[in-house]
């Protein structure tokens, strides 16, 4: 399974990070001191809720846009109407990195999601020092207790948290400390997309939580339907990144909403 392989690699990566990075050094970065943008508030006020993603590669499909540069795509996402931007911070499996988040932060003035398999506080400090506003916490990668510890760390740093779930069993992870709940339409173990299961999950989450739909989205009519079912945001990467001009693809998509 991809997820198990990724987490085993991430454990080794975190060990290396702890040897090479000192949190007190990260705290000296100017960007570490900035007040973060709120993706939660942005989604609540957005008419489209599109979170466009910068993503070169996926473990299941290989390269989507090999050699893509943040500077060539991310500013266009903002100009085309993205509510927020997700940037892959994993290098081994997604050909991304914290450096991409840092570059994006210098170029846009909307919320940035640090899209990573977070299992340790050092990654949250790295997210903060890269200029991110939101960190992803994936229920399938963490115990509930560990998730709460990481969410508490993020909150202390002024970062918002996006909790990702994909099964009914993971509903128990939802806690008031979480800012946004994302439902992954793609099962992380089988990689199959099931919108009906996501909608059923959405209806079991209190409306007090901002909810976003993730993965497998490519049709404006699907996004309209999901909005009517209670979703406020839609995380989309591959659909735009596989186009010759991702920003133009986003602009066209939004025009159809």
């Amino acid at each position: 399974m991809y997820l198990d392989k990724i987490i085993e690699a991430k454990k080794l990566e975190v060990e290396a990070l702890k040897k090479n990075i000192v949190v007190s050094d990260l705290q000296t970065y100017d960007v570490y001191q900035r007040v973060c943008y709120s993706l939660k508030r942005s989604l609540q006020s957005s008419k489209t809720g599109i979170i466009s993603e910068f993503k070169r590669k996926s473990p299941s499909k290989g390269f989507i846009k090999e050699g893509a540069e943040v500077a060539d795509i991310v500013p266009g996402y903002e100009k085309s109407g993205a509510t927020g931007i997700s940037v892959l911070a994993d290098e081994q499996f997604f050909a991304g990195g914290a450096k991409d988040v840092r570059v994006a932060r210098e170029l846009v003035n909307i919320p940035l999601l640090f899209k990573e398999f977070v299992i340790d506080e050092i990654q949250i400090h790295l997210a903060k020092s890269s200029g991110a506003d939101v960190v992803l916490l994936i229920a399938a990668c963490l115990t509930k207790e560990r998730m709460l510890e990481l969410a508490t760390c993020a909150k202390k740093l002024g970062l918002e948290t996006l909790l990702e779930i994909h099964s009914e069993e993971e509903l128990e992870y939802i806690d008031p400390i979480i800012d946004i709940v994302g439902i992954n339409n793609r099962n992380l173990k089988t990689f199959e997309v099931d919108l009906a299961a996501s909608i059923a999950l959405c209806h079991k989450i209190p409306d007090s939580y901002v909810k976003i739909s993730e993965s497998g989205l490519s049709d404006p009519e699907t996004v309209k339907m999901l909005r009517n079912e209670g979703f406020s945001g839609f995380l989309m990467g591959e659909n735009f990144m596989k186009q010759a001009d991702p920003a133009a693809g986003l602009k066209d998509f939004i025009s159809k909403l």
Side-chain angles (χ1 to χ4, degrees):
M1 293 189 296
Y2 290 115
L3 189 60
D4 292 340
K5 186 178 179 181
I6 290 170
I7 294 305
E8 285 308 306
K10 201 57 59 178
K11 289 175 182 175
L12 297 175
E13 191 178 308
V14 163
E15 286 180 22
L17 275 177
K18 288 181 173 180
K19 290 177 182 176
N20 297 316
I21 292 178
V22 180
V23 171
S24 58
D25 289 343
L26 297 179
Q27 292 170 334
T28 64
Y29 293 12
D30 288 343
V31 73
Y32 195 97
Q33 309 304 325
R34 64 181 279 274
V35 176
C36 294
Y37 296 116
S38 172
L39 180 59
K40 179 180 179 180
R41 287 198 298 272
S42 295
L43 288 170
Q44 288 171 325
S45 62
S46 173
K47 292 181 180 179
T48 64
I50 303 296
I51 303 166
S52 50
E53 189 161 82
F54 180 82
K55 178 181 181 181
R56 296 186 185 93
K57 179 185 178 185
S58 82
S60 60
K61 297 185 178 181
F63 276 102
I64 300 162
K65 194 178 286 294
E66 189 171 4
E69 294 293 341
V70 172
D72 296 331
I73 295 173
V74 167
Y77 276 160
E78 181 178 29
K79 290 174 185 172
S80 296
T83 302
I85 298 173
S86 168
V87 182
L88 267 297
D90 170 81
E91 183 174 356
Q92 184 174 343
F93 298 93
F94 290 87
K99 62 183 185 301
D100 287 334
V101 183
R102 285 194 288 272
V103 173
R105 178 75 291 148
E106 294 174 0
L107 298 171
V108 300
N109 295 302
I110 57 176
L112 290 179
L113 169 65
F114 191 84
K115 186 81 176 287
E116 172 65 294
F117 297 84
V118 174
I119 59 172
D120 192 273
E121 285 81 357
I122 191 73
Q123 294 166 287
I124 296 175
H125 287 284
L126 187 61
K128 177 69 172 177
S129 67
S130 301
D133 303 287
V134 193
V135 291
L136 176 68
L137 299 176
I138 303 174
C141 300
L142 305 160
T143 64
K144 182 179 180 181
E145 291 71 26
R146 189 70 184 117
M147 182 278 293
L148 290 173
E149 290 170 354
L150 293 169
T152 299
C153 174
K155 189 69 70 178
K156 287 178 179 176
L157 298 184
L159 293 161
E160 289 186 337
T161 49
L162 164 58
L163 171 67
E164 178 180 300
I165 65 172
H166 74 276
S167 69
E168 190 165 345
E169 292 75 27
E170 292 170 353
L171 287 170
E172 67 174 40
Y173 280 69
I174 298 172
D175 184 272
I177 197 171
I178 295 299
D179 297 289
I180 303 163
V181 178
I183 298 177
N184 196 334
N185 304 313
R186 183 174 284 117
N187 186 304
L188 292 176
K189 294 176 180 175
T190 66
F191 270 67
E192 294 177 353
V193 172
D194 187 348
L195 289 177
S198 294
I199 291 168
L201 270 183
C202 180
H203 292 167
K204 293 179 179 179
I205 299 170
D207 290 336
S208 56
Y209 290 95
V210 171
K211 293 169 262 189
I212 70 170
S213 178
E214 308 172 18
S215 299
L217 302 174
S218 60
D219 185 350
E221 293 305 315
T222 300
V223 168
K224 289 179 187 176
M225 178 271 291
L226 290 171
R227 181 174 279 282
N228 288 334
E229 294 289 350
F231 288 98
S232 300
F234 310 91
L235 181 59
M236 300 176 62
E238 188 176 317
N239 184 62
F240 302 133
M241 288 298 292
K242 68 184 179 183
Q243 298 184 37
D245 185 339
L250 169 63
K251 186 174 184 179
D252 179 64
F253 192 92
I254 286 177
S255 73
K256 294 172 181 174
L257 295 176

